[in-house]
Amino acid sequence: MTAPAATGVLAPVPSRHVLDIDDLGPDGLATVLALAERHPTGLPAVLAGEGVAMVFEKPSNRTRNSTEMATVALGGHPVYIQGPEVGIDTRESAADVARTLACYHAVLCARVMDHGTLTRMADALDAAGIAVPVVNLLSDRAHPCQSLADLLTLRQVFGAEALADRTLAYVGDANNVWRSLALAASMVGMATRVATPVGFGPTDEDVALVRSFGGELTVTNDPFGAVAGVDAVYTDVWTSMGQEEEAEARLAAFTGFQVDEALVALAAPHAVVLHCLPAHRGEEISAAVVDGPRSVVWPQAANRMHAMRGLLAWVRGTTLASGDRHYVVPS
C-alpha cells in the first residue's frame, strides 16, 4: 500500500500545547499515532533549522534520548537544559523561563516536579501571543509521551482497529502514568481496569474524566480480579521520584500487588505485559515476567522515540493528506 503523504506547516499552530494526552483530542491522538508509525523519512522536516528546548527538573533515560532523537529526525536541534540552569521559580519565574526559551526555540518541552509549572509556562506564552507549543515530558499529574508509546505498542500487538475490543489492567499506584494511560485508552475506546491498595486509587475527578471519553473503567482493590481475562497487564514503580521518604510505607502498602507469574497467569493466554521502566525486579514486577515471553517492555521503550517524533510533528502542524491513518515503522 502506498502511504499517503504528510504535509508540514512550518508555522506552529497557536496554543497546540500538550500538557496531558486529552489535549490532543481523539482526532489528534489518532493523527499522532499514525505519524509515529510512519518512517521518519516520510515526514516533512518541520523542525529544520529550529531548536527544541528540553528542560529537565527530573533526570531521565528514555525521555531525554527519545526526545533528542525525535527532534533530530525532524531536522531540529535539541538543547538539554538541567533544572538548576534555569532555576524555575528560584532564579526566574516559570513565565519568564518560558518566554526566554521561546525566543530561541520552536518547541518547549519540560519534565517537571509540579504540573502547575507547565500550565504557567503555557499560559504565559498564550498571553504574550507566542505560538510556541509546550509539551509535557512528565509531571506529577501526567505523562502523555509515555501513554502515546503505550498505545503505539498495543496497536502493534493487536492492530490499530482492535483496541476497542481489548481490555487492559493496570496494577499498582494510580499515578501520573496510570492517568494518562487510562485517558488515552478511553479515547480509543479501550476498556481499562485499575487495581490499587486502599488509599492509592484514582480520584473521583480522574475517574469521571476517563469515562467521559467513552471507555469503560473499573476501579478495584483486587489485583487478581482486575487481571482475570485481560489482554494486557501494566504496572509501574511503587515509589516514584520525589516519594523516596515514603518508600518503606509504600512497600508495605503494595504487598500482594506484584505483577508476577501467578498474577499474569490469570490474564488471557495471548496477554502481554507492559512497564514504562525503570523496573524494580522483585517489587512491582518479577524478573520472570518483565524478562519473560509475554513482556513487550523493550518495543514499548523503543516506541518512546517513534511516539515523540509523531507528537513533535503534530505540534508543528503536520497533518495527513488522506483518511488512511495506519502505517508501520520498519524494524
Side-chain angles (χ1 to χ4, degrees):
M1 180 181 70
T2 301
T7 61
V9 179
L10 294 183
V13 176
S15 302
R16 202 170 243 195
H17 306 302
V18 181
L19 307 190
D20 202 350
I21 197 68
D22 56 327
D23 287 331
L24 295 173
D27 288 343
L29 176 60
T31 298
V32 169
L33 291 172
L35 293 171
E37 289 172 339
R38 191 177 181 87
H39 193 275
T41 58
L43 292 173
V46 291
L47 288 171
E50 303 280 8
V52 172
M54 299 164 42
V55 179
F56 278 67
E57 289 188 328
K58 289 184 174 184
S60 176
N61 181 359
R62 284 152 293 278
T63 300
R64 177 180 178 180
N65 282 279
S66 61
T67 305
E68 289 198 6
M69 294 307 295
T71 298
V72 170
L74 295 174
H77 181 82
V79 177
Y80 175 71
I81 305 164
Q82 293 182 327
E85 293 181 75
V86 290
I88 297 174
D89 293 331
T90 54
R91 295 184 66 244
E92 291 187 83
S93 67
D96 285 356
V97 169
R99 291 197 62 173
T100 298
L101 293 176
C103 294
Y104 318 120
H105 299 283
V107 183
L108 199 173
C109 302
R111 183 177 171 94
V112 299
M113 302 294 291
D114 181 4
H115 190 82
T117 300
L118 296 165
T119 302
R120 287 183 288 126
M121 285 179 157
D123 287 348
L125 296 181
D126 288 345
I130 300 171
V132 171
V134 175
V135 174
N136 181 3
L137 297 182
L138 175 138
S139 69
D140 58 333
R141 178 173 172 79
H143 201 350
C145 299
Q146 180 64 56
S147 65
L148 286 170
D150 299 338
L151 281 194
L152 194 56
T153 305
L154 291 169
R155 284 163 64 110
Q156 290 167 350
V157 172
F158 298 117
E161 302 295 343
L163 295 190
D165 299 319
R166 303 291 178 171
T167 301
L168 178 145
Y170 182 101
V171 178
D173 189 9
N175 57 14
N176 51 354
V177 170
W178 168 80
R179 186 179 185 279
S180 294
L181 171 65
L183 283 171
S186 185
M187 289 166 72
V188 299
M190 189 175 190
T192 59
R193 305 172 188 172
V194 56
T196 74
V198 174
F200 295 90
T203 66
D204 291 342
E205 292 78 10
D206 284 343
V207 169
L209 181 59
V210 170
R211 288 174 175 164
S212 73
F213 285 99
E216 179 184 343
L217 170 61
T218 301
V219 181
T220 180
N221 303 122
D222 176 15
F224 300 97
V227 167
V230 300
D231 303 288
V233 181
Y234 198 119
T235 192
D236 186 15
V237 296
W238 293 338
T239 304
S240 299
M241 282 184 286
Q243 298 175 331
E244 288 80 7
E245 293 183 357
E246 305 172 21
E248 186 174 347
R250 283 174 168 269
L251 281 174
F254 283 90
T255 299
F257 282 79
Q258 183 184 99
V259 175
D260 56 17
E261 290 175 289
L263 188 67
V264 173
L266 299 174
H270 59 262
V272 295
V273 176
L274 299 95
H275 192 306
C276 56
L277 301 178
H280 297 165
R281 291 166 175 81
E283 290 186 15
E284 77 279 356
I285 194 165
S286 69
V289 170
V290 74
D291 300 317
R294 296 201 189 203
S295 173
V296 292
V297 299
W298 298 116
Q300 183 187 4
N303 279 331
R304 288 293 306 276
M305 178 176 66
H306 303 314
M308 195 66 200
R309 188 173 63 242
L311 182 59
L312 288 174
W314 185 83
V315 299
R316 287 289 289 171
T318 308
T319 58
L320 294 172
S322 87
D324 189 347
R325 298 179 179 272
H326 307 137
Y327 306 90
V328 176
V329 176
S331 57

